[in-house]
Amino acid sequence: MDGTELYRKVILTVSGNKFVKWLSIKYGRKLAGRFIAGDTLDEALDEIERLNEKGILVTLDHLGEGITTLDEAAGYREEYLKLVEGIAKRGVKSNVSLKPTQMGMALDPEKAYENIKLVAKKAKEHRNFVRLDMEDSPYTQATIDMTLRLHQEGLTNVGTVMQAYLFRTEEDVKNLMHAGVNLRLVKGAYKEPGTIAFQQKREVIDNYKKLIKMHLDQGAYVAIASHDDHIIDWVKVFAEQSRIDKQEFEFQMLYGLRMNDQAALAQDGYRIRCYMPYGTMWYPYFTRRLAEKPANLMMVLKNMFK
Ligand SMILES: Cc1cc2nc3c(=O)[nH]c(=O)nc-3n(C[C@H](O)[C@H](O)[C@H](O)COP(=O)(O)OP(=O)(O)OC[C@H]3O[C@@H](n4cnc5c(N)ncnc54)[C@H](O)[C@@H]3O)c2cc1C
């Protein structure tokens, strides 16, 4: 295991500690602010306008995961319906990202399906797109099944995410591409065991490139969600050498990270979409960001001691 992987595992483990969680929730909102567009939908929509002016597209996420009741799931469904309406009313360039567990997948998969279907239908009415984020491995198959089921019901405006660190992903990508599902490709953000996931950075990167290439070679639109210059530069060169138009894929990055570089990509004619979370349930999202990169933690600590 290299230093980065060790760091990632330590942060993900420490952040699960109840005391650390309590302390962070009590004092951390301001620190998390860099990664979150605001507490309310209106604040987020204002921020989308600002990014759109720079040529940056957005995917909007209402924070919330690990819910414990179906009432909470219904509440989030209503928030998402408002979010879809809000995007349409403001006329901003943003689609939607949501987490299946936020809609109840861990409690009652059928109910989650109904909740997500309502959001997808509303989005379809407004010609918008819904991305089902991919969570940890207990939900991989269920999320894929849900995506395919929505497609079978005509809701082809739904896509999902594939994680390059999972051994199974290459096969999943083949199946989903075959079904015409729009995919976001990522390295993977959760702590997964060596029995099901690559543990070495090099292996994840190699698999990531393979998955990207599978799309670009076949002219299948794909979202490449990474802050890694090695991946971004590789995609640029590969696309240019293969005469693939810049409109046939998009880069995605997270809100608060490399914002100047996001604007620069837009300036250079690439499609770039910023994943923008808002809402008050920011803790799990925030800790995954800290786990990704020691520099993110340093940035937050520096702000704390200012
Ligand atoms: C839009 C988006 C959506 C995502 N959705 C999901 C999802 O649904 N499910 C999931 O499991 N994961 C998701 N992720 C997270 C993803 O799986 C990775 O955990 C995360 O993106 C970190 O990997 P990376 O490729 O960005 O770069 P890393 O592996 O974190 O970093 C590699 C290199 O990139 C460069 N780099 C990274 N960050 C910066 C920075 N801030 N400034 C300058 N250089 C930097 C550095 O050179 C670094 O060494 C998503 C990520 C994005 C961007």
Side-chain angles (χ1 to χ4, degrees), residues 133-134 161 163 184 186-190 225-228 252-254 257-258 275 289 292-293:
D133 285 345
M134 188 57 81
V161 181
Q163 297 154 323
R184 170 199 296 153
V186 298
K187 288 181 186 167
Y190 299 84
S226 174
H227 311 99
D228 191 340
Q252 295 190 351
M253 293 192 194
L254 300 175
L257 293 181
R258 311 199 69 173
Y275 183 106
R289 301 297 71 84
E292 268 155 21
K293 214 172 144 58

Side-chain angles (χ1 to χ4, degrees), residues 146-207:
M146 187 175 281
T147 306
L148 292 172
R149 190 171 160 197
L150 290 162
H151 269 242
Q152 276 154 14
E153 296 209 24
L155 292 165
T156 51
N157 60 323
V158 175
T160 188
V161 181
M162 290 281 104
Q163 297 154 323
Y165 62 13
L166 292 185
F167 299 153
R168 59 175 287 167
T169 295
E170 185 177 346
E171 216 40 47
D172 289 335
V173 166
K174 280 184 196 155
N175 294 336
L176 288 162
M177 280 178 73
H178 183 70
V181 176
N182 174 317
L183 294 176
R184 170 199 296 153
L185 302 178
V186 298
K187 288 181 186 167
Y190 299 84
K191 200 166 64 172
E192 300 290 1
T195 45
I196 60 165
F198 297 111
Q199 304 293 309
Q200 301 297 324
K201 214 166 143 185
R202 189 72 260 156
E203 296 172 310
V204 178
I205 288 179
D206 288 347
N207 199 37

Side-chain angles (χ1 to χ4, degrees), residues 4 8-9 11 42 52 76 84 94-96 118 126 156 166 176 185 196 224 226 232 246 286:
T4 323
R8 196 170 90 91
K9 289 215 158 86
I11 293 288
D42 276 339
N52 283 173
Y76 280 125
V84 172
S94 174
N95 63 31
V96 179
L118 282 175
H126 291 293
T156 51
L166 292 185
L176 288 162
L185 302 178
I196 60 165
I224 300 145
S226 174
I232 295 163
K246 287 176 179 171
F286 178 53

